[in-house]
Amino acid sequence: ALVAVDVCKATATNLDDLALIMREIACLEGGAVDMNTRISAHLRGWYGDTVSHLARAETRSAYLGQLAFVLLSVFERADEALETLQRAMACSDVGAKHMERPHFYYMGQAYSSKGEYERALWCYEQQLAITKATQGQSPGRRSTVLTAMGQAYFNTGKYDRALEYYQQSLAIQKAFLGEHHSDTETAATINVMGQAYLSKGEYDRAIEYLQKSLVIQKTTLGDNHPDTAITLNAMGHAYSSKGEYDRALEYYQQDLAITK
């Protein structure tokens, strides 16, 4: 127990119970912050186990896919997500409906989180083929898959291949949303292109894309958003790599002002 008191009986209006709770919290090394962290971790584990239990009991493909997505994106349980997705693909109710479900994409994300990029790319290729074959499929989904493929290549150090897929994704976003549309997904794609050029040592190109991303991020997310800070740091890195240390310091200081 986190505190030596019957929490079920304790009430905020009972000053004795409240005082006891506060004393017990004070005894924890990290105080209230430490207790909150422990409770959050406990609840996160409980919710994850609940979703896992629901997935084991579920037999419908669409719901299995949704539960797998939660297991992966919220609780980072890649192996359980993969097992759930494999069951989803084998369900008797899949039929032609599987064309409408991004199961292969989720599998690719799960493999990517495990560092198994070749398997991830195979899954993305399957999802890409489905999006091409499915009439009326959202262009946004195709763009998302292309960006994921680019990220898989980026993570294996194949920056030119990564840029090919990022470019395709960005072209779809511009065609679908408009040449001058600004949103977080467009900013993210432009950003990863800048990161790829940075990794290639093409610092001027990196700065060009990172600056475009930064403008959109400040407009859509705000000056103090963590993603804005990441881009500011990358800009600092690019200028530092060029030997322009004063410019680099400007961006590092802006990043530090957000993250400190």
Side-chain angles (χ1 to χ4, degrees):
L2 292 175
V3 291
V5 65
D6 188 342
V7 180
C8 295
K9 296 178 181 178
T11 65
T13 56
N14 185 321
L15 296 181
D16 289 337
D17 285 343
L18 184 58
L20 179 56
I21 290 171
M22 295 308 295
R23 283 200 301 273
E24 292 297 330
I25 291 174
C27 289
L28 294 172
E29 185 177 347
V33 173
D34 185 31
M35 188 187 77
N36 185 58
T37 301
R38 295 192 198 184
I39 291 174
S40 296
H42 176 75
L43 288 175
R44 180 180 175 82
W46 182 84
Y47 281 123
D49 290 343
T50 300
V51 173
S52 181
H53 174 76
L54 290 171
R56 288 195 297 272
E58 185 56 65
T59 59
R60 292 164 294 181
S61 177
Y63 290 104
L64 282 167
Q66 293 169 11
L67 290 166
F69 174 75
V70 173
L71 283 168
L72 177 64
S73 62
V74 178
F75 300 107
E76 300 177 350
R77 299 187 179 190
D79 289 327
E80 289 184 51
L82 282 168
E83 181 184 347
T84 303
L85 286 163
Q86 287 161 357
R87 287 178 51 225
M89 299 295 286
C91 283
S92 59
D93 70 329
V94 174
K97 281 287 186 181
H98 82 281
M99 301 291 275
E100 302 173 5
R101 299 170 186 156
H103 291 342
F104 278 116
Y105 170 72
Y106 293 153
M107 290 180 75
Q109 291 292 84
Y111 279 123
S112 286
S113 72
K114 288 164 60 70
E116 299 182 26
Y117 299 115
E118 291 299 324
R119 288 186 173 183
L121 284 165
W122 183 88
C123 292
Y124 294 143
E125 288 283 3
Q126 306 312 303
Q127 191 68 59
L128 204 57
I130 290 172
T131 62
K132 288 179 180 178
T134 306
Q135 300 232 342
Q137 187 69 267
S138 167
R141 180 173 295 177
R142 179 169 165 76
S143 171
T144 299
V145 176
L146 287 166
T147 299
M149 293 180 74
Q151 198 61 37
Y153 280 116
F154 179 91
N155 289 334
T156 55
K158 298 177 181 177
Y159 305 122
D160 288 325
R161 292 298 303 277
L163 283 163
E164 290 176 21
Y165 286 98
Y166 292 152
Q167 288 280 15
Q168 292 179 54
S169 176
L170 186 60
I172 291 173
Q173 291 169 17
K174 287 182 176 180
F176 182 56
L177 300 171
E179 181 70 26
H180 302 293
H181 181 82
S182 297
D183 70 352
T184 54
E185 186 172 356
T186 302
T189 304
I190 295 172
N191 189 286
V192 291
M193 292 178 71
Q195 298 283 358
Y197 281 119
L198 185 58
S199 296
K200 287 185 66 182
E202 298 184 23
Y203 303 122
D204 289 328
R205 294 296 300 276
I207 290 169
E208 175 189 347
Y209 280 92
L210 290 169
Q211 183 62 53
K212 289 179 181 178
S213 173
L214 187 61
V215 170
I216 299 173
Q217 288 173 331
K218 286 186 173 183
T219 301
T220 57
L221 300 174
D223 291 344
N224 297 316
H225 194 275
D227 288 352
T228 304
I230 291 171
T231 304
L232 288 165
N233 185 276
M235 291 280 287
H237 184 190
Y239 278 112
S240 177
S241 298
K242 289 185 65 181
E244 299 183 26
Y245 302 117
D246 289 335
R247 292 295 301 277
L249 281 169
E250 291 176 20
Y251 286 100
Y252 283 141
Q253 286 167 350
Q254 292 179 61
D255 167 35
L256 186 61
I258 299 171
T259 58
K260 66 180 180 182

